[in-house]
Amino acid sequence: MNPFLELGIRHEVVNAISELGFEKPSPIQEKAIPVLLTGNDDFVGLAQTGTGKTAAFGLPLLEQLDFSQKHPQALVLCPTRELCLQIAKDLQNFAKYIDNVHVVAVYGGANISDQLRQIRRGVQIVVATPGRMLDIIGRNAIDFSNVKYVVLDEADEMLNMGFQEDINNILSETPDEKKTWLFSATMPREVRRIAQKYMNDPFELTVGTKNTGNANIEHHYYLIKAKDKYAAFKRIVDSNPDIFGIVFCRTKIETQDIAEALIKDGYNADSLHGDLSQQQRDKVMKRYRDRSLQLLIATDVAARGIDVNDVTHVINFSLPDEVENYTHRSGRTARAGKTGISLSLVNVKELSKIRHIEKIIGKPFEKKQVPQGAEVCEKQLFSIVKKIENVEVNDEQIAPFLPAIMENLESLSKEDIIKRFASLEFNRFLDYYKNAPDLNIEAREGSREDRGDRRDGRSREGSKGYTRLFMNLGSVDEFTRGDMLGFICNNANISGKSIGKIDLKGVFTFFEVQDAEVEKVFQGFQGVDYNGRQVRIEVSGEGRGEGRGGDRGRSRGARRDGGYRSDRGGRRDGGFSGERRDRGERRDRGGNGGGFRDFSGRRKESKSKY
Ligand code: AMP
């Protein structure tokens, strides 16, 4: 007997999920379904994405609802548009052979009238992101008085994105007697608090160890100099010719820079970040899903809810600010019982972060060596050989050309032909990796070269071609060097490559900027506020009693008219770029993709550095 039937799932649903390839329940399904089928309990399930959570709550929902009625009986809240669409689609697929099942996906960034129309027509299951849901509730366009089940999916993500208040407001619209089922990959205090506040002695289930990543994920790190990061990354990619990866960066500028560099270097890559319109985002995701892209370069926020199976590698090009995010990142691989690798490129200073993550995930990282040039070439060669071996030949189409081909290659032996075909691609790698240096370093903590944080190996103060600037924000404002880099680049609209050393102090920061870009920095920070403080930029040493002369000594941030230069393309209005005094904060409930906690703890749903 089919194990899902044994669990109590009806034939129609079992037939539908069999078609989807579900042969036996995943561990969370096996444990959760019997509990949820009783319909008597609140429920907390601690499980990673990719464990089969959707069916774990979706199949019991389909058993509990009355589809002869056309009012909302179940509400599923989730953090992102992608997840929202995915859940709605999964539920529809599971319910394929049940009559009169109506599921609506309600999310921001899409036409609200279509969603309202679907609701008016009658739905039993509403899958929603919190912002848009509240919007619809605010219009009195939905009646939740008959809701029996509320599912909070990826609760930790929703809280990370600042949806706490929205969730409170939505839940207050639903009847007290409803059952709440909460799923979360991690159980920080805030999620625990929600469980305590809204649930009645919930049944708790943990799949895998608490806060532990998926057992099928291997965690690797590579120890390198900061300046060699991109080269090391490329070697790793080149030595995994079949890689299908997500590369995580901390800022959107970084995602763009890396994607651009990769494209220039001939890789199938593109970036996904908060500046993209929904349409652009969908386009990138479609190309990734279709495998036209091999590498997706993303920020944490933009990658939330990405549900693509078969991701072979998660690459932490930059480690996340918040360790919890590491779990979310690595959860993008090893889905549906597959294996995957989460690898991190770190310098000596970041080793302590790796140790910290090890503690959180309860698993050691394996230190790996960046492959040497020769190893990469060997991997590529055998990949080419395998491709030649497996390529599908269309006999019919190639037939007319064969005589001419044969004639051209007549003088060559079989061995020569093989060598030449393989060399076609291989030569590129041989050329590139000729004389390639060893990029690995050993962990001598605090070693000189890694303490200085010199970007691209540039020297300290007064580097040739660079001007050292002063800014009145520093680590007390909760900036890390990476944040500061993003902050400067965002506001000045310059590439990270133009910035030299960043020396983050308590209440101020010194940073180097290529001489040619200095004016842009002054211009870019005119009228910019950060947390209510006007950002002030000066040339280091001037006006500070260190005397260097020149006309840049005076503070240049004093202008308050907030003049907005037209050549900036309006890319950086708000979010992490600091805020101009003449521009009020916009809180756009409709959006759902770009939310993040900014340094003052407010949620921003508009443009951000991510
Ligand atoms: P989820 O965690 O719900 O996002 O599921 C991750 C992936 O696993 C999805 O592609 C599901 O279709 C698939 N999946 C879920 N349950 C099963 C199952 N019992 N057998 C095979 N695949 C499954």
Side-chain angles (χ1 to χ4, degrees):
M1 181 158 145
N2 183 299
F4 284 100
L5 280 177
E6 278 180 43
L7 282 179
I9 304 298
R10 69 176 94 174
H11 269 105
E12 291 90 334
V13 175
V14 173
N15 289 344
I17 60 175
S18 299
E19 286 176 15
L20 298 173
F22 294 20
E23 284 169 10
K24 61 179 182 25
S26 69
I28 188 160
Q29 291 160 3
E30 196 164 25
K31 290 183 184 146
I33 290 174
V35 179
L36 300 181
L37 273 181
T38 68
N40 294 331
D41 289 301
D42 284 336
F43 177 89
V44 173
L46 204 52
Q48 305 284 323
T49 51
T51 49
K53 273 184 303 138
T54 318
F57 67 76
L59 304 186
L61 272 189
L62 294 179
E63 296 301 322
Q64 314 279 3
L65 307 186
D66 177 359
F67 295 108
S68 65
Q69 305 292 319
K70 276 181 123 188
H71 49 247
Q73 296 162 50
L75 166 65
V76 181
L77 288 177
C78 62
T80 64
R81 170 193 150 105
E82 274 73 22
L83 194 58
C84 179
L85 284 165
Q86 185 64 44
I87 294 171
K89 195 171 104 209
D90 285 352
L91 293 175
Q92 273 152 350
N93 286 337
F94 303 158
K96 188 172 156 193
Y97 297 120
I98 311 179
D99 291 335
N100 301 318
V101 176
H102 298 283
V103 182
V104 64
V106 159
Y107 50 91
N111 189 338
I112 196 164
S113 352
D114 288 346
Q115 297 172 359
L116 290 171
R117 201 170 312 122
Q118 288 185 62
I119 292 169
R120 271 199 302 275
R121 255 190 251 141
V123 293
Q124 297 97 2
I125 307 177
V126 179
V127 185
T129 56
R132 178 56 65 91
M133 192 68 259
L134 260 191
D135 192 343
I136 289 178
I137 290 173
R139 293 167 187 241
N140 280 329
I142 198 153
D143 172 15
F144 278 150
S145 61
N146 288 303
V147 162
K148 293 199 176 61
Y149 301 97
V150 171
V151 180
L152 302 174
D153 195 18
E154 302 212 349
D156 49 353
E157 287 279 325
M158 288 199 279
L159 296 186
N160 270 340
M161 293 170 77
F163 284 132
Q164 168 90 64
E165 203 187 319
D166 293 358
I167 294 173
N168 294 348
N169 291 334
I170 296 168
L171 289 180
S172 70
E173 294 291 315
T174 58
D176 290 344
E177 321 76 70
K178 65 165 183 285
K179 298 295 169 213
T180 307
W181 302 345
L182 179 151
F183 290 84
S184 193
T186 56
M187 189 51 79
R189 233 173 307 141
E190 296 77 8
V191 176
R192 175 76 47 211
R193 229 175 279 142
I194 284 217
Q196 280 161 357
K197 191 166 167 193
Y198 293 108
M199 295 186 191
N200 203 350
D201 191 19
F203 186 98
E204 290 203 21
L205 186 66
T206 303
V207 178
T209 329
K210 246 180 200 180
N211 280 350
T212 298
N214 181 329
N216 291 337
I217 304 173
E218 286 180 33
H219 301 268
H220 299 167
Y221 76 91
Y222 294 81
L223 195 61
I224 45 162
K225 291 181 188 170
K227 74 178 175 68
D228 291 332
K229 209 191 244 190
Y230 181 68
F233 164 61
K234 268 192 11 179
R235 279 201 204 175
I236 295 164
V237 170
D238 286 345
S239 64
N240 289 283
D242 296 323
I243 196 167
F244 181 53
I246 303 182
V247 182
F248 280 95
C249 298
R250 288 177 55 243
T251 63
K252 60 191 164 202
I253 298 253
E254 200 178 37
T255 62
Q256 284 167 327
D257 282 353
I258 292 171
E260 267 169 33
L262 283 171
I263 293 165
K264 215 163 69 190
D265 289 342
Y267 297 83
N268 294 324
D270 208 341
S271 59
L272 192 72
H273 55 75
D275 265 0
L276 301 184
S277 67
Q278 197 59 54
Q279 218 177 2
Q280 290 169 317
R281 196 185 147 86
D282 290 347
K283 218 161 138 192
V284 174
M285 279 315 297
K286 181 170 185 312
R287 289 173 62 218
Y288 188 59
R289 284 210 174 83
D290 294 351
R291 307 257 179 158
S292 313
L293 293 179
Q294 210 176 1
L295 295 167
L296 182 70
I297 325 295
T299 58
D300 289 288
V301 171
R304 280 186 184 148
I306 288 184
D307 176 26
V308 177
N309 285 338
D310 303 327
V311 170
T312 59
H313 290 71
V314 162
I315 298 166
N316 297 284
F317 192 86
S318 300
L319 285 172
D321 283 336
E322 290 176 31
V323 174
E324 292 263 303
N325 272 340
Y326 181 86
T327 324
H328 290 300
R329 288 182 177 189
S330 50
R332 304 291 157 213
T333 181
R335 296 171 67 80
K338 307 216 172 69
T339 55
I341 292 173
S342 172
L343 64 87
S344 304
L345 298 161
V346 296
N347 60 40
V348 172
K349 281 185 303 176
E350 292 169 314
L351 268 182
S352 56
K353 218 163 180 179
I354 293 287
R355 304 293 166 235
H356 187 42
I357 296 171
E358 282 178 333
K359 280 199 200 120
I360 301 272
I361 63 171
K363 241 181 144 179
F365 274 63
E366 223 179 293
K367 181 171 185 282
K368 291 283 184 182
Q369 296 287 311
V370 179
Q372 304 296 345
E375 289 170 61
V376 178
C377 291
E378 192 182 326
K379 281 268 170 60
Q380 284 292 337
L381 180 61
F382 284 103
S383 161
I384 294 162
V385 171
K386 214 166 129 203
K387 272 190 204 147
I388 294 179
E389 201 184 334
N390 295 332
V391 70
E392 265 186 49
V393 176
N394 187 326
D395 285 317
E396 208 178 305
Q397 287 200 336
I398 204 165
F401 305 103
L402 266 184
I405 296 173
M406 293 298 189
E407 198 183 321
N408 274 301
L409 301 179
E410 205 172 35
S411 59
L412 300 174
S413 69
K414 178 180 168 189
E415 199 184 333
D416 270 336
I417 293 174
I418 292 172
K419 274 196 241 167
R420 282 169 198 230
F421 268 98
S423 298
L424 268 178
E425 264 290 291
F426 184 51
N427 283 349
R428 186 161 70 87
F429 286 94
L430 275 183
D431 265 0
Y432 184 78
Y433 284 111
K434 193 170 56 191
N435 307 324
D438 183 358
L439 299 181
N440 296 289
I441 54 170
E442 285 314 309
R444 281 176 292 116
E445 275 187 58
S447 75
R448 234 171 156 211
E449 67 241 72
D450 289 290
R451 238 181 357 220
D453 186 43
R454 287 177 207 166
R455 299 166 44 79
D456 300 333
R458 285 180 210 122
S459 67
R460 307 181 81 80
E461 184 177 356
S463 306
K464 198 154 180 284
Y466 285 79
T467 302
R468 194 167 188 247
L469 299 179
F470 160 91
M471 185 195 291
N472 63 333
L473 296 175
S475 55
V476 296
D477 300 289
E478 296 189 46
F479 277 92
T480 63
R481 276 197 196 87
D483 294 329
M484 183 51 81
L485 178 66
F487 187 57
I488 298 166
C489 294
N490 260 351
N491 280 285
N493 196 17
I494 55 179
S495 146
K497 289 181 202 131
S498 315
I499 311 287
K501 184 168 148 43
I502 296 177
D503 202 359
L504 201 67
K505 306 284 189 194
V507 292
F508 59 88
T509 299
F510 289 114
F511 62 99
E512 290 182 342
V513 179
Q514 275 174 353
D515 292 343
E517 307 286 87
V518 170
E519 204 49 46
K520 280 196 192 163
V521 177
F522 283 118
Q523 294 276 350
F525 276 102
Q526 273 184 11
V528 170
D529 272 6
Y530 184 76
N531 275 356
R533 260 165 64 208
Q534 191 188 349
V535 181
R536 194 159 49 83
I537 308 285
E538 293 174 10
V539 172
S540 153
E542 296 174 1
R544 304 177 59 74
E546 294 170 38
R548 232 160 95 174
D551 72 337
R552 289 211 188 103
R554 68 185 189 277
S555 162
R556 301 286 287 270
R559 221 184 80 185
R560 291 195 184 184
D561 58 3
Y564 205 49
R565 285 166 33 157
S566 57
D567 60 345
R568 288 219 200 86
R571 189 171 56 87
R572 291 155 294 105
D573 54 341
F576 193 68
S577 319
E579 290 185 12
R580 284 160 199 276
R581 298 196 161 191
D582 58 345
R583 197 171 298 132
E585 197 206 349
R586 192 171 65 97
R587 190 154 185 267
D588 172 10
R589 290 239 140 140
N592 64 7
F596 78 105
R597 221 159 17 102
D598 77 356
F599 287 158
S600 53
R602 279 174 294 121
R603 175 160 65 92
K604 295 283 185 71
E605 289 190 338
S606 55
K607 312 243 164 148
S608 76
K609 71 169 175 165
Y610 305 103

